[in-house]
Amino acid sequence: MKLQDELPVDHRLARIYRWTAGLGGVFLVVFGILGLVDQVGFFDTDGKETLGLSSNGALSVLSLVVGAILIVGAVIGGNFASTLNMVVGVVFILAGFVGLMVLDSSANRLAFQIPNVVFSFAFGFAVLTCGMYGRVSGHLPHDNPYWRERHSGPETVPNGPPTLVKVLKPGPPNPIGH
């Protein structure tokens, strides 16, 4: 049994988060098209400003591809969109760190500047959050498959004096109905 196959796809806000990430994909596609229209060199390290961000040909093409992937994920929906959004979010966060490392150097092949780095972090965290909805929480309902998977093994009870056990595992020893 794969856990992602068991995740219900009818979460209350799943559609909103899915389409929010899809709208982010639309922004990336528009950014990519406008960047290509400017006819900047493909690996130009200076770039031109497009929608407040620095862009060159390589970043424009990359934005088109990632934007199209996010749009396709929003259309497909379900567990695929959730996983895709989490992966794309992490990639954008990592791109922000890489952009910081190569800022003002000849290795800056995507013409990143500080606004690009800030956008990469903000967009990455936003898309990551969209993908995590219903999967990651401290208060998942007990019928959520992710909660069941985390709590499927035998319950381990800490050893030691009763006072220490109470500190390590507060609450009734075996609550009924929880």
Side-chain angles (χ1 to χ4, degrees), residues 80-153:
F80 175 77
S82 176
T83 303
L84 177 72
N85 291 342
M86 288 193 311
V87 169
V88 169
V90 168
V91 168
F92 263 86
I93 292 168
L94 292 175
F97 282 116
V98 171
L100 274 176
M101 288 189 312
V102 300
L103 210 59
D104 294 331
S105 74
S106 62
N108 190 1
R109 296 293 181 193
L110 296 178
F112 262 47
Q113 293 178 359
I114 288 296
N116 296 69
V117 172
V118 172
F119 172 79
S120 188
F121 284 135
F123 189 79
F125 279 116
V127 172
L128 181 65
T129 301
C130 290
M132 291 172 125
Y133 178 76
R135 288 189 170 209
V136 180
S137 171
H139 302 290
L140 291 173
H142 297 290
D143 62 344
N144 184 296
Y146 291 101
W147 186 92
R148 286 195 310 250
E149 181 68 23
R150 291 179 197 153
H151 298 89
S152 64

Side-chain angles (χ1 to χ4, degrees), residues 24-114:
V26 169
F27 174 81
L28 289 177
V29 168
V30 170
F31 174 75
I33 290 170
L34 293 176
L36 288 175
V37 168
D38 283 343
Q39 298 179 351
V40 176
F42 199 74
F43 287 115
D44 184 18
T45 56
D46 294 331
K48 280 190 176 178
E49 188 171 316
T50 304
L51 296 177
L53 302 171
S54 177
S55 180
N56 64 9
L59 185 60
S60 296
V61 170
L62 193 60
S63 297
L64 280 170
V65 170
V66 174
I69 289 171
L70 282 175
I71 292 169
V72 168
V75 170
I76 293 173
N79 301 330
F80 175 77
S82 176
T83 303
L84 177 72
N85 291 342
M86 288 193 311
V87 169
V88 169
V90 168
V91 168
F92 263 86
I93 292 168
L94 292 175
F97 282 116
V98 171
L100 274 176
M101 288 189 312
V102 300
L103 210 59
D104 294 331
S105 74
S106 62
N108 190 1
R109 296 293 181 193
L110 296 178
F112 262 47
Q113 293 178 359
I114 288 296

Side-chain angles (χ1 to χ4, degrees), residues 12-32:
R12 297 178 308 229
L13 296 174
R15 245 181 279 148
I16 293 171
Y17 284 121
R18 182 178 84 199
W19 289 111
T20 299
L23 286 175
V26 169
F27 174 81
L28 289 177
V29 168
V30 170
F31 174 75

